[in-house]
């Protein structure tokens, strides 16, 4: 079992301004530019957007794993990329 060590806030520099009001397939839901991730004991990161929706995981080897279905991953992948770049 992986234990969570700490949560770190970050800004998603890949966020698209048009997502503030509209995301394909997510009309009416608010989207957030800021995110957080939990730094786990094994070095992986569990990534969330600003509304604490799970975006996916960054594995210790840098592999990005979206929690969204294929074809709907653009939004989540921007958070995963941004979280992977945060130095801790």
């Amino acid at each position: 079992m992986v234990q969570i060590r700490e949560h770190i806030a970050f800004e998603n520099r890949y966020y698209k301004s048009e997502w503030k009001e509209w995301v394909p397939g997510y009309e009416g839901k608010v989207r957030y530019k800021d995110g957080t991730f939990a730094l786990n004991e094994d070095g992986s990161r569990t990534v969330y957007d600003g509304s604490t929706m799970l975006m996916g995981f960054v594995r210790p080897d840098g592999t990005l794993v979206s929690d969204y279905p294929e074809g709907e991953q653009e939004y989540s992948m921007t958070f995963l990329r941004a979280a992977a770049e945060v130095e801790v």
Side-chain angles (χ1 to χ4, degrees):
M1 178 177 193
V2 175
Q3 299 241 344
I4 295 173
R5 290 193 333 212
E6 62 181 300
H7 286 265
I8 297 171
F10 66 94
E11 181 178 312
N12 180 357
R13 65 187 190 122
Y14 301 104
Y15 187 87
K16 294 181 179 181
S17 60
E18 63 266 23
W19 286 343
K20 188 172 185 178
E21 297 182 16
W22 184 80
V23 176
Y26 297 94
E27 290 78 17
K29 294 185 180 180
V30 177
R31 294 295 174 204
Y32 298 85
K33 186 174 183 175
D34 296 326
T36 60
F37 64 85
L39 183 59
N40 304 309
E41 280 185 349
D42 67 353
S44 66
R45 299 172 184 202
T46 305
V47 183
Y48 305 90
D49 72 359
S51 68
T52 66
M53 295 262 313
L54 178 63
M55 297 289 102
F57 308 91
V58 180
R59 292 186 178 148
D61 67 0
T63 303
L64 307 178
V65 181
S66 176
D67 196 51
Y68 280 49
E70 194 164 328
E72 298 177 16
Q73 296 178 349
E74 182 182 14
Y75 177 74
S76 65
M77 291 302 285
T78 66
F79 280 90
L80 297 176
R81 278 195 300 273
E85 295 173 357
V86 175
E87 291 189 32
V88 291

